[in-house]
Structures are given as C-alpha cells and as structure tokens.
Amino acid sequence: MTGSGAHTAVDWLVSVAPDPDACRWEWERNPLGVALLPAGRRWDVLILPGELGYPTLDILARLVDRPGPVLADFGDSRMGFFVPAGTVGRWIGTGVRGAGRGTWIVVPYPGRAAGGVRWLVLPDGRGTLTDPALLELAMHEAAASIARDGG
C-alpha cells in the first residue's frame, strides 16, 4: 500500500494509540518496524492457529468483498482477525485466543513486513472490520473441510 491509502490506514491505526505521534515515531525509527497498539478501543483481534486461519480467510474472502484487517506471524503459526471492539468478551469458541480491552498487539506499519508480523489484509482506513458471525461461519466451514480432508 502506498500513497494516501497507506496514510489513511496509518491514521486509522494510530487513532487508538495513547499518543499517536509517538506511535508514528516508533514506526519510523524502530528497527523492527512495529508498534504496540491497544486492542479493545476500535477493534479486538481474534487469534487463530495458522492451520485454521488460512482456510478461514480463504472462505471469508468468498463471503465478503473485503474482510477486515488480518495479521500473520512469519512462522504462519497464528493469524489475527480484526473484529469489532467487545467481541473478545462475548466469544465462546474454543481454540481461539483474543486480544481485547487491556491487551496490546504488535502491529507493523501498513504495507511493510517487519518485526515478525505482516499484513495479509491491510486496513482500509475506513474502519472495515470482520463480522464475528461471518468469521465464525467461515471457521466452522474451514474446520469441517480440514476434518474431511484428514488434515
């Protein structure tokens, strides 16, 4: 992402930071290219194991024009789906970790891969998030497919 798209995504992300200017400074100067941002203000993050996350994202991409932001670690062991704030407190599914109010997540600068994490779906800057009900539906379908395929 370049130009105004990256700028809009940056603005949206840093809007949750206690000090947006310090967050921008951190992104520009941190050799890892990451910043810590608090979850639970504009968004929560549901963290799936990679073996479930990737097929879930594939299914989700067929259900909606554009899912909300999605992060992955470089080992592909975890994926974080950005969902509306408050979702983590209501989530009852098993095998899914959540980052909500009171937790912080490592976020790379939009469009850059750094610090062990990368964007699979960049923030659009307008606040598009993944609907938790659709995410759950996609997760169930992905889990069923994995079970059917024996993997």
Side-chain angles (χ1 to χ4, degrees), residues 4 6-7 11 18 23 25-26 29 47 54-55 62 70 74 84 90 100 116 119 127 149-150:
S4 64
H7 181 70
D11 289 344
C23 181
W25 187 91
E26 184 72 15
R29 289 164 184 83
I47 304 163
Y54 280 96
R62 287 182 278 169
V70 180
F74 279 113
R90 297 184 304 274
W119 290 105
D149 296 341

Side-chain angles (χ1 to χ4, degrees), residues 88-111:
V88 167
R90 297 184 304 274
W91 192 264
I92 56 172
T94 58
V96 177
R97 293 178 37 218
R101 186 164 294 282
T103 60
W104 295 73
I105 63 165
V106 175
V107 180
Y109 188 89

Side-chain angles (χ1 to χ4, degrees), residues 28-110:
E28 292 169 7
R29 289 164 184 83
N30 183 323
L32 296 177
V34 297
L36 282 174
L37 292 177
R41 292 186 179 176
R42 288 185 186 246
W43 36 261
D44 286 355
V45 181
L46 291 176
I47 304 163
L48 281 62
E51 59 272 5
L52 177 61
Y54 280 96
T56 296
L57 180 57
D58 290 342
I59 292 164
L60 192 60
R62 287 182 278 169
L63 295 174
V64 296
D65 289 335
R66 186 186 199 293
V70 180
L71 286 172
D73 65 8
F74 279 113
D76 289 333
S77 62
R78 291 178 304 239
M79 291 174 60
F81 291 79
F82 282 55
V83 294
T87 299
V88 167
R90 297 184 304 274
W91 192 264
I92 56 172
T94 58
V96 177
R97 293 178 37 218
R101 186 164 294 282
T103 60
W104 295 73
I105 63 165
V106 175
V107 180
Y109 188 89

